[in-house]
């Protein structure tokens, strides 16, 4: 049989042929790419904030968006699937919010947990167990935020749906303890122990609650006794002030606020009885130096000392501001102002504080005694005396 030559027989490729073909194809591909329209790709993430954009994407985000944050469209779609009432039953919606709340609780984001559990309750599902769980979980979140009243209210509401709910009973008992509602705390602990006699926390809280109740009652009695004693002491003080004819710039009745010193260094030292004899009044006093525009403060000045004795004590050491050595006892005059009349009055140094207070022109200013100290016959003294003053009317 004669064999025929087939013109379609496969060509045998040499290595050189293959290399030439590959080069040709590469060149054609380059020509094709070069012929494409030059257009910048604008659909990706910008180079300067690609990481920020990536973290917004649901597949890459490392934290959930907070209220008010911009939300990625894909996440909006996922949320719609999870929270859309048309896609979920009421029970499913409530449970979805419960899961969110539990997630926030796990990560200690208690305010977000309160928000999620509240959204779940807004669904108003008809499953009592789900409602009880949502209220109890919100109670837990409020508890960790130290909102004990809200936490107690939620725990009690949970019990209205599920009366033997052990977690809610325990949470309510803890809240009652923090609010010092001792009788309610004892009632809740006892009720919890009726359901679970081995609940160690309830046993310890019941014992602690009993002790704190007695301690609080004892402290309350002490406070009442102290308040009564303080009131009696204040009445005795006001009687002593009236007996000494002490006058205040305000005409109102003597109150604790009226006798409280308004000068910061003296505010913790109002007029009071001497601790030893319980008869002598001890006064806060300010001594102002017009020349230097500063003051000395005597926090406890006995009414029995003379002004001379007071100056002797004050100037036992030289006044730091007195560069000329003018401020020594025998070279000083002391004055006080009468703001009602707009007048200034010289103090007789041999008089006691008690005697000075009896003078018709002396009034207590800002809950303390206020005096002005100047060198005798000095320009500062003349200027101080001659400074125009206007009388002030006090109600």
């Amino acid at each position: 049989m004669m064999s025929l030559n087939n013109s379609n027989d496969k060509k045998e490729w040499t290595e050189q042929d293959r290399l030439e073909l590959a080069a040709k194809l590469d060149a054609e591909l380059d020509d094709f790419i070069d012929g494409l329209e030059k257009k910048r790709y604008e659909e990706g993430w910008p180079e300067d904030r690609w990481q920020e954009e990536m973290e917004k994407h649901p597949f890459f985000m490392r934290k959930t968006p907070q209220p008010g944050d911009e939300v990625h469209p894909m996440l909006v779609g996922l949320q719609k699937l999870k929270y859309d009432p048309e896609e979920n039953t009421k029970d499913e919606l409530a449970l979805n919010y419960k899961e969110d709340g539990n997630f926030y609780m796990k990560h200690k984001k208690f305010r977000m947990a309160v928000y999620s559990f509240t959204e779940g309750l807004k669904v108003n599902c008809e499953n009592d167990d789900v409602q009880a769980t949502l209220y109890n979980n919100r109670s837990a979140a409020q508890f960790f935020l130290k909102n004990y009243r809200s936490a107690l209210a939620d725990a009690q509401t949970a019990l209205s749906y599920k009366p033997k709910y052990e977690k809610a009973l325990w949470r309510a008992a803890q809240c009652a303890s923090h609010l010092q509602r001792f009788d309610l705390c004892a009632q809740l602990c006892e009720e919890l122990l009726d359901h679970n006699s081995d609940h160690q926390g309830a046993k310890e809280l019941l014992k602690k609650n009993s002790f704190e109740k007695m301690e609080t009652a004892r402290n309350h009695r002490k406070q009442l006794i102290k308040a009564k004693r303080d009131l009696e002491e204040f009445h005795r003080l006001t009687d002593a002030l009236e007996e000494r004819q002490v006058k205040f710039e305000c005409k109102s009745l003597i109150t604790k606020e009226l006798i409280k010193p308004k000068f910061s260094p003296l505010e913790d030292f109002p007029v009071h009885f001497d601790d030893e004899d319980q008869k002598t009044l001890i006064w806060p006093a300010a001594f102002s130096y017009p020349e230097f525009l500063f003051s000395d403060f005597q926090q406890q000045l006995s009414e029995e000392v003379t002004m001379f004795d007071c100056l002797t004590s004050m100037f036992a050491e030289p006044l730091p501001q007195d560069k000329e050595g003018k401020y020594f006892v025998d070279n000083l005059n002391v004055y006080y102002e009468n703001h009602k009349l707009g007048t200034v009055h010289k103090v007789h140094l041999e008089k006691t504080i008690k005697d000075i207070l009896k003078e018709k022109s002396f009034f207590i200013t800002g809950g303390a005694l206020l005096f002005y100290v100047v060198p005798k016959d000095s320009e500062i003294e003349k200027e101080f005396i001659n400074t125009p003053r206007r009388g002030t009317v006090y109600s």
Side-chain angles (χ1 to χ4, degrees), residues 30-71:
D30 289 342
D31 291 341
F32 173 77
I33 292 173
D34 290 340
L36 292 175
E37 180 183 356
K38 303 296 184 183
K39 182 179 180 182
R40 183 177 179 180
Y41 180 64
E42 298 178 347
E43 297 180 3
W45 291 328
E47 292 182 8
D48 58 341
R49 61 176 193 277
W50 66 269
Q51 188 173 3
E52 176 187 344
E53 294 295 332
M54 186 174 75
E55 289 181 355
K56 294 179 183 178
H57 195 285
F59 294 163
F60 303 108
M61 62 174 51
R62 290 181 292 182
K63 61 180 182 179
T64 56
Q66 302 299 305
D69 289 351
E70 182 182 354
V71 181

Side-chain angles (χ1 to χ4, degrees), residues 179-235:
L179 294 170
Q180 295 190 332
R181 295 181 60 178
F182 302 113
D183 293 340
L184 177 60
C185 180
Q187 175 190 332
L188 290 164
C189 286
E190 289 167 358
E191 190 174 345
L192 178 54
L193 289 170
D194 286 342
H195 298 308
N196 180 3
S197 58
D198 296 326
H199 198 292
Q200 192 61 32
K203 292 179 182 178
E204 293 176 359
L205 183 58
L206 191 60
K207 185 185 300 183
K208 175 174 174 282
N209 180 71
S210 177
F211 174 79
E212 289 185 350
K213 181 179 180 180
M214 291 188 295
E215 189 71 14
T216 300
R218 185 184 300 115
N219 290 338
H220 182 63
R221 289 194 297 272
K222 288 181 179 179
Q223 289 173 358
L224 289 177
I225 292 171
K226 184 178 183 302
K228 182 180 178 182
R229 187 179 299 137
D230 288 347
L231 183 60
E232 291 173 350
E233 183 72 6
F234 181 71
H235 286 160

Side-chain angles (χ1 to χ4, degrees), residues 9-282:
D9 286 347
K10 291 182 178 180
K11 177 182 177 180
E12 293 185 8
W13 291 80
T14 65
E15 185 63 26
Q16 182 62 32
D17 293 336
R18 290 190 180 91
L19 291 174
E20 290 177 356
L21 179 60
K24 181 182 178 183
L25 292 174
D26 285 344
E28 290 177 352
L29 180 60
D30 289 342
D31 291 341
F32 173 77
I33 292 173
D34 290 340
L36 292 175
E37 180 183 356
K38 303 296 184 183
K39 182 179 180 182
R40 183 177 179 180
Y41 180 64
E42 298 178 347
E43 297 180 3
W45 291 328
E47 292 182 8
D48 58 341
R49 61 176 193 277
W50 66 269
Q51 188 173 3
E52 176 187 344
E53 294 295 332
M54 186 174 75
E55 289 181 355
K56 294 179 183 178
H57 195 285
F59 294 163
F60 303 108
M61 62 174 51
R62 290 181 292 182
K63 61 180 182 179
T64 56
Q66 302 299 305
D69 289 351
E70 182 182 354
V71 181
H72 193 280
M74 186 178 292
L75 183 59
V76 173
L78 293 173
Q79 288 177 331
K80 188 172 182 180
L81 287 174
K82 185 174 182 179
Y83 303 112
D84 193 337
E86 295 181 2
E87 301 289 340
N88 301 273
T89 65
K90 285 189 174 184
D91 285 3
E92 289 172 338
L93 277 174
L95 291 173
N96 286 341
Y97 283 115
K98 181 178 80 73
E99 290 175 2
D100 291 348
N102 290 345
F103 172 84
Y104 288 123
M105 289 290 289
K106 181 179 178 181
H107 291 83
K108 297 183 179 180
K109 295 185 176 182
F110 303 118
R111 295 190 189 281
M112 290 301 299
V114 169
Y115 172 80
S116 294
F117 294 134
T118 301
E119 291 300 305
L121 289 167
K122 287 180 181 179
V123 173
N124 290 322
C125 80
E126 297 177 358
N127 187 318
D128 286 353
D129 284 343
V130 173
Q131 290 291 91
T133 301
L134 285 168
Y135 273 111
N136 180 65
N137 289 5
R138 190 172 72 173
S139 171
Q142 295 282 24
F143 180 85
F144 287 115
L145 290 170
K146 297 185 179 181
N147 298 331
Y148 300 122
R149 283 185 175 79
S150 298
L152 176 60
D154 277 348
Q156 290 177 313
T157 305
L159 290 170
S160 70
Y161 284 97
K162 193 175 178 181
K164 297 181 180 181
Y165 195 178
E166 186 173 311
K167 288 183 178 180
L169 280 169
W170 175 234
R171 185 66 65 199
Q174 288 177 301
C175 294
S177 175
H178 280 284
L179 294 170
Q180 295 190 332
R181 295 181 60 178
F182 302 113
D183 293 340
L184 177 60
C185 180
Q187 175 190 332
L188 290 164
C189 286
E190 289 167 358
E191 190 174 345
L192 178 54
L193 289 170
D194 286 342
H195 298 308
N196 180 3
S197 58
D198 296 326
H199 198 292
Q200 192 61 32
K203 292 179 182 178
E204 293 176 359
L205 183 58
L206 191 60
K207 185 185 300 183
K208 175 174 174 282
N209 180 71
S210 177
F211 174 79
E212 289 185 350
K213 181 179 180 180
M214 291 188 295
E215 189 71 14
T216 300
R218 185 184 300 115
N219 290 338
H220 182 63
R221 289 194 297 272
K222 288 181 179 179
Q223 289 173 358
L224 289 177
I225 292 171
K226 184 178 183 302
K228 182 180 178 182
R229 187 179 299 137
D230 288 347
L231 183 60
E232 291 173 350
E233 183 72 6
F234 181 71
H235 286 160
R236 196 165 75 89
L237 177 62
T238 56
D239 290 343
L241 293 172
E242 290 174 358
E243 179 186 341
R244 288 163 171 76
Q245 302 174 14
V246 174
K247 299 171 289 301
F248 293 83
E249 288 182 341
C250 296
K251 295 180 180 180
S252 58
L253 294 175
I254 299 176
T255 62
K256 290 184 178 180
E257 182 61 28
L258 183 64
I259 65 174
K260 181 180 179 180
K262 305 304 185 287
F263 301 98
S264 180
L266 302 175
E267 61 184 8
D268 294 327
F269 300 90
V271 59
H272 60 278
F273 285 107
D274 184 281
D275 292 335
E276 294 183 2
D277 65 21
Q278 289 296 314
K279 294 179 181 179
T280 304
L281 289 183
I282 306 298

Side-chain angles (χ1 to χ4, degrees), residues 249 337-345 361 363 387-395:
E249 288 182 341
E337 291 180 322
N338 182 315
H339 293 141
K340 291 187 175 228
L341 300 176
T343 55
V344 61
H345 301 266
S361 53
F363 288 82
T387 298
R389 294 172 174 83
R390 297 181 62 183
T392 304
V393 177
Y394 294 92
S395 57

